[in-house]
Amino acid sequence: MKKKPHVRYVFPTAPIAPVTLNGGMPMPSWFDIYGLAPDSPEDEQGVKQSAQKLAQLISDEEKRGIPRSRIVIGGFSQGGAVALYTAFTSGGSKLGGLLALSTWMPSHKTLPELINQSENKALKILQCHGQVDPVVQFFIGVRTSEILKANCPNFTFKQYENLAHSSCDEELVDVFKFLNEAIP
């Protein structure tokens, strides 16, 4: 995909922080991870703090004159979790779209209720996940897709047969197509 001249791309990077799952070793991380099992405790405060940072980036773009309806947020792995949480908790008018790549639904026990109260319930969402992802296992991606499908009418889930915790050409084609449709 060629960069569109009328589109501004902002790619925030997670700060370096110790991660419990990584033996406390520092790594780029939006929040702490205690475990990868669905019943593992979550760093809800860390997710909320990162969501506030993303909401501030959205606000900054609005101050530049970009309407929320032309802002697409997204992320990979932890970044996707933060984007999901932000989309449904940040308030304001509807965003242009949401990309959730190789990720999971944070606060999966409480966020579905918030989705139903959100202006972004009807937002266009593309979730992509590799079937052989050893980090965010495929069944976790499927569980996330089930929550989104049940609550969001403009949701699409794409899965990739030989994709681990990474991206592939087929996924990138799907992402570019989604972006072209979300922000023509």
Side-chain angles (χ1 to χ4, degrees):
M1 177 175 120
K2 289 172 59 175
K3 182 178 177 190
K4 295 179 177 186
H6 65 285
V7 175
R8 177 174 149 76
Y9 298 89
V10 178
F11 298 103
T13 302
I16 304 296
V19 174
T20 301
L21 185 67
N22 196 26
M25 297 295 294
M27 62 182 274
S29 180
W30 290 110
F31 50 88
D32 200 359
I33 301 175
Y34 305 119
L36 296 176
D39 59 345
S40 294
E42 294 183 282
D43 178 12
E44 291 185 43
Q45 190 60 34
V47 171
K48 287 178 183 178
Q49 289 172 346
S50 291
Q52 289 170 349
K53 291 176 187 175
L54 181 52
Q56 183 59 54
L57 288 173
I58 294 167
S59 177
D60 292 348
E61 292 306 306
E62 288 180 292
K63 289 175 187 167
R64 293 174 64 103
I66 310 297
R68 283 176 70 91
S69 63
R70 294 197 50 82
I71 297 174
V72 175
I73 63 172
F76 177 85
S77 195
Q78 279 192 325
V82 171
L84 281 165
Y85 189 88
T86 303
F88 300 117
T89 62
S90 67
S93 57
K94 189 172 126 187
L95 292 163
L98 171 64
L99 285 166
L101 310 175
S102 300
T103 193
W104 68 95
M105 176 73 68
S107 303
H108 63 274
K109 294 176 184 165
T110 58
L111 197 55
E113 183 178 319
L114 296 175
I115 291 172
N116 287 315
Q117 301 167 12
S118 172
E119 289 289 326
N120 283 312
K121 177 180 175 143
L123 136 111
K124 288 183 180 181
I125 303 170
L126 174 62
Q127 179 192 358
C128 301
H129 211 104
Q131 292 179 351
V132 293
D133 189 333
V135 179
V136 180
Q137 294 181 12
F138 183 64
F139 81 92
I140 295 171
V142 169
R143 285 181 55 179
T144 296
S145 76
E146 290 167 350
I147 293 169
L148 292 169
K149 184 176 181 181
N151 292 285
C152 303
N154 295 317
F155 170 73
T156 302
F157 180 58
K158 298 276 187 167
Q159 54 186 291
Y160 306 94
E161 188 174 342
N162 294 311
L163 182 62
H165 197 64
S166 185
S167 61
C168 65
D169 290 343
E170 182 183 359
E171 179 184 46
L172 293 176
V173 167
D174 290 335
V175 166
F176 294 146
K177 180 180 176 191
F178 173 82
L179 290 172
N180 282 326
E181 291 171 358
I183 309 292

